[in-house]
Amino acid sequence: MTQLSIIIGYLSLLLALGVVASRKSRGTSRDYLLASHSIGPVLLLMSLFGTTMTAFALVGSTGKSYQLGIGVYGLMASSSGIVHSLCFFVIGVKLWTLGQKHGYTTQVEYFRDRLGSHTFGFLLFPVLVGLVIPYLLIGVLGAGAVINGVTRGTFDEMFASAGHGVPGWLGSLVICLVVLGYVFAGGMRGTAWANTFQTSVFMVLGVVTFVVIAREIGGGETFLESLQGATARVLESHPEKLVMKPPRLFFLSFLLIPLSAGMFPHLFQHWLTARSASAFKLPVIVHPLFILIVWAPCVMVGAWATSAVIDGQPLFTTPPENVNTVLPILVSRVAGPVLSGLLSAGILAAVMSSLDSQFLCLGTMFTNDIVLAGRTGRRDIDDTRVVRMARWFIVAIVAVTYLLSLGAPAAIFDLGLWCFAGFSGLVPLVLAALYWRRLTLAGATASVVAMVATWLTLFFGDMGGYPPDPRYKFLGMLPVAAIVLVPAVVLIVVSWSTRPPSDAILNKFFPKVSGNEGGLP
Amino acid sequence: MSSREDGAPRWCRRGFWIGVILLVAVQQYPGFWDSRTLVLDFLPVPLCYQIVVSLLAVAVWWIGTVVAWPADSSDAEVVSHEDVS
């Protein structure tokens, strides 16, 4: 019950933060959606990092390391440290610059302007929303698994099927409601504050978790001896977890997964909150370090969990049916009730720091790209009504996501790979839009259609399915390779085959300036 | 944007992008994947190697913000940040 009380206290604190942020609001939709472009380097760093690190990073990485071993760090963490910063550098700064000049709030607004087509937005919008839903699902499933894992045995007579803990469906529902609460109250400012607070919480508590788990599993008098003891057990019973064995092409294709950050709609919105382009420098530099701080302990803990013995009993006599529960179960077994509650709050912080941005972004996209699209007299529309419409759309999408989460549980890591692959498949489009004058509307349209067709073919074909089957490969690589390559080729071929963009568009997006014009050489 | 960044020689910027490509190559290098050696008796060498790659990434991106920061981003910084809605 102590764990549950601490989690409830933490969630209440977040709601209070949203209320405080709402009092700082300037009362405009611009402030609600973009915090009036007032976010400096530190807040930008924390909110970008908190947004990209979700249940995938903590719960998913630990579970996957439990299955595959320490190679998970090379597959996802070190590659993300390189590619995420690359996306901030090459795509983020450039889009921020254009957003400032032309007043964009969403990706769809930019692409409509860049391609000179209002209709293109109606093609891109459902694709982006359709890809955000599985991303939301990762967080919703992760939150439910965490709360269930740490509250098992709390109730004597209730929730027997959930191990007498808070069932996953209830935990997920509460988290959705809390995040909706502070996003509704505080908008982007509240989200940025909550992200910063929660990123600090999960990083600090993550390190504490690592120390506590190492001491309990490894024994030993000093911390180093604990680390050595924990790894020695793995070396003895599961040595294969301490080496990397991925096929070369398979490993290479994992580089394309973090490329997805270049087209995350919620990251685009966070980029636009920056006070200046220079505010990006800190996130670009420090992001790989923060990934290291979060992922390395999780990956070690996942490997240790395969061989951990606690109170003379193996932690898992049989592998858990749902690997998402490895970390929360471990936390609940090795930490006392107070620390366990705090550590669980830290894990939930990571989950919620992504959900909030995604919720807010969906509302922004709906109002700007659908409701307000094509209306030239935006100032005539009541701002309160705009914000209200954004909120209703958010509620609808969250309800759909929640209902999906009640279905068959998918491994968070594998679900993430499919979702991120879709966003990666749109990155050739944004790169071409930013740096290639020859990109045409036909090329862009064909590229999006090709991405969707490739994704659906692979997902519903022999290689995927739901829950995704981790055994499949496409020419020895993850399907993301085809999902990026096919749209890229289609984009180039169709753009070259069609009439170039008008001079008006080219002059607007590729003005002749001297010096270093962009992030690419 | 400082004049130092505006004035970064082209070879510096090219050198930085070559550094990014090398960083990716280093990340992909499989030489230590099978090593069963433990650093400090607890950290597997394959994981230690990838951690070093993460630290190298910090250094490479820091250099990038100094020598290859896009100059045209400075134009927008003077745009008013007042609400436009």
Side-chain angles (χ1 to χ4, degrees):
Chain A
M1 191 55 80
T2 308
Q3 292 101 315
L4 194 57
S5 304
I6 290 172
I7 291 172
I8 292 170
Y10 180 74
L11 298 180
S12 306
L13 190 65
L14 282 175
L15 286 172
L17 197 66
V19 171
V20 173
S22 73
R23 292 184 178 169
K24 291 276 183 185
S25 170
R26 299 179 190 178
T28 64
S29 61
R30 198 70 167 175
D31 191 71
Y32 184 79
L33 301 174
L34 295 176
S36 298
H37 305 291
S38 61
I39 303 299
V42 175
L43 269 183
L44 188 66
L45 164 69
M46 300 300 261
S47 56
L48 287 180
F49 181 71
T51 301
T52 50
M53 291 299 113
T54 174
F56 185 81
L58 293 174
V59 181
S61 64
T62 308
K64 206 63 184 178
S65 176
Y66 175 87
Q67 279 184 325
L68 300 180
I70 51 95
V72 173
Y73 187 91
L75 288 176
M76 282 306 301
S78 57
S79 56
S80 295
I82 298 170
V83 178
H84 281 178
S85 288
L86 179 71
C87 289
F88 298 166
F89 198 110
V90 171
I91 300 173
V93 178
K94 193 87 175 169
L95 282 176
W96 178 88
T97 307
L98 292 167
Q100 282 289 86
K101 281 181 180 168
H102 305 300
Y104 306 130
T105 309
T106 67
Q107 290 161 308
V108 168
E109 285 178 334
Y110 163 66
F111 281 109
R112 275 178 167 151
D113 213 14
R114 168 68 179 84
L115 298 168
S117 166
H118 186 68
T119 312
F120 184 79
F122 295 113
L123 170 69
L124 189 59
F125 176 82
V127 173
L128 291 173
V129 173
L131 288 171
V132 168
I133 287 177
Y135 200 167
L136 285 174
L137 205 49
I138 294 169
V140 172
L141 283 169
V146 168
I147 293 179
N148 174 252
V150 296
T151 58
R152 280 171 175 263
T154 300
F155 305 101
D156 292 334
E157 297 186 1
M158 293 169 66
F159 306 130
S161 62
H164 296 284
V166 177
W169 63 265
L170 183 56
S172 297
L173 180 64
V174 170
I175 291 298
C176 284
L177 292 175
V178 168
V179 178
L180 279 176
Y182 74 75
V183 167
F184 279 15
M188 179 51 91
R189 194 182 307 280
T191 300
W193 286 9
N195 270 344
T196 302
F197 172 65
Q198 301 206 87
T199 303
S200 311
V201 166
F202 82 70
M203 289 185 74
V204 170
L205 290 180
V207 172
V208 173
T209 308
F210 179 65
V211 172
V212 169
I213 290 175
R215 285 203 180 281
E216 285 297 321
I217 293 180
E221 290 189 3
T222 65
F223 180 55
L224 181 60
E225 285 175 0
S226 301
L227 295 172
Q228 291 166 341
T231 305
R233 287 182 190 277
V234 186
L235 198 60
E236 200 173 292
S237 50
H238 292 94
E240 75 281 3
K241 304 290 184 190
L242 299 179
V243 294
M244 290 168 62
K245 293 180 178 173
R248 295 292 304 277
L249 278 176
F250 186 68
F251 187 69
L252 178 67
S253 60
F254 263 89
L255 269 176
L256 297 173
I257 294 288
L259 201 60
S260 53
M263 271 303 283
F264 285 160
H266 49 289
L267 264 192
F268 179 87
Q269 199 172 350
H270 268 295
W271 287 337
L272 290 188
T273 64
R275 186 189 300 153
S276 66
S278 298
F280 279 83
K281 289 183 178 177
L282 189 63
V284 165
I285 298 167
V286 179
H287 194 78
L289 184 63
F290 274 22
I291 289 178
L292 162 63
I293 292 169
V294 170
W295 275 75
C298 286
V299 166
M300 282 305 291
V301 164
W304 289 343
T306 59
S307 315
V309 175
I310 296 171
D311 297 331
Q313 298 290 322
L315 178 66
F316 298 110
T317 47
T318 54
E321 190 176 322
N322 181 358
V323 292
N324 303 337
T325 59
V326 169
L327 182 60
I329 287 176
L330 192 53
V331 165
S332 68
R333 290 286 302 276
V334 304
V338 174
L339 191 54
S340 172
L342 285 172
L343 300 181
S344 307
I347 301 172
L348 289 176
V351 173
M352 290 188 288
S353 63
S354 299
L355 283 179
D356 54 13
S357 303
Q358 291 159 339
F359 285 6
L360 184 65
C361 168
L362 284 169
T364 311
M365 288 166 65
F366 179 69
T367 51
N368 281 36
D369 302 340
I370 302 297
V371 178
L372 299 175
R375 299 193 191 193
T376 52
R378 181 178 294 188
R379 286 178 178 78
D380 297 337
I381 299 174
D382 180 9
D383 245 12
T384 312
R385 200 170 145 229
V386 171
V387 174
R388 195 185 312 132
M389 280 189 288
R391 288 172 172 168
W392 277 115
F393 183 72
I394 294 170
V395 169
I397 292 293
V398 171
V400 169
T401 307
Y402 178 70
L403 290 174
L404 286 174
S405 77
L406 300 178
I412 284 172
F413 195 91
D414 300 320
L415 187 62
L417 292 187
W418 275 109
C419 162
F420 299 156
F423 284 114
S424 295
L426 293 171
V427 168
L429 172 65
V430 71
L431 283 175
L434 290 170
Y435 294 101
W436 194 37
R437 296 164 61 94
R438 194 62 178 74
L439 172 70
T440 65
L441 172 62
T445 304
S447 176
V448 173
V449 171
M451 188 286 288
V452 173
T454 311
W455 193 96
L456 289 174
T457 303
L458 295 178
F459 187 78
F460 289 111
D462 294 337
M463 305 170 73
Y466 185 88
D469 184 345
R471 291 169 299 180
Y472 63 77
K473 293 183 185 67
F474 177 79
L475 299 177
M477 294 183 279
L478 285 173
V480 68
I483 295 171
V484 172
L485 188 64
V486 172
V489 171
V490 168
L491 182 146
I492 293 168
V493 170
V494 176
S495 289
W496 273 117
S497 312
T498 47
R499 185 192 291 268
S502 68
D503 287 343
I505 287 178
L506 292 179
N507 290 335
K508 183 174 184 178
F509 290 96
F510 299 93
K512 289 183 174 62
V513 291
S514 59
N516 177 19
E517 294 185 18
L520 292 173
Chain B
M1 189 66 58
S2 70
S3 57
R4 182 177 58 124
E5 287 159 355
D6 277 346
R10 183 175 288 267
W11 67 266
C12 273
R13 297 201 297 269
R14 286 194 175 160
F16 159 69
W17 287 108
I18 290 169
V20 172
I21 292 166
L22 283 176
L23 181 65
V24 172
V26 167
Q27 196 266 343
Q28 292 287 313
Y29 177 65
F32 299 100
W33 287 5
D34 288 335
S35 172
R36 291 179 185 264
T37 307
L38 297 175
V39 177
L40 296 174
D41 281 338
F42 83 91
L43 187 61
V45 162
L47 179 59
C48 181
Y49 178 78
Q50 292 294 331
I51 287 173
V52 171
V53 169
S54 294
L55 296 173
L56 275 176
V58 174
V60 169
W61 289 120
W62 174 71
I63 292 169
T65 60
V66 175
V67 304
W69 198 247
D72 63 348
S73 66
S74 61
D75 298 340
E77 290 181 36
V78 297
V79 172
S80 167
H81 292 156
E82 291 300 316
D83 294 349
V84 293
S85 56

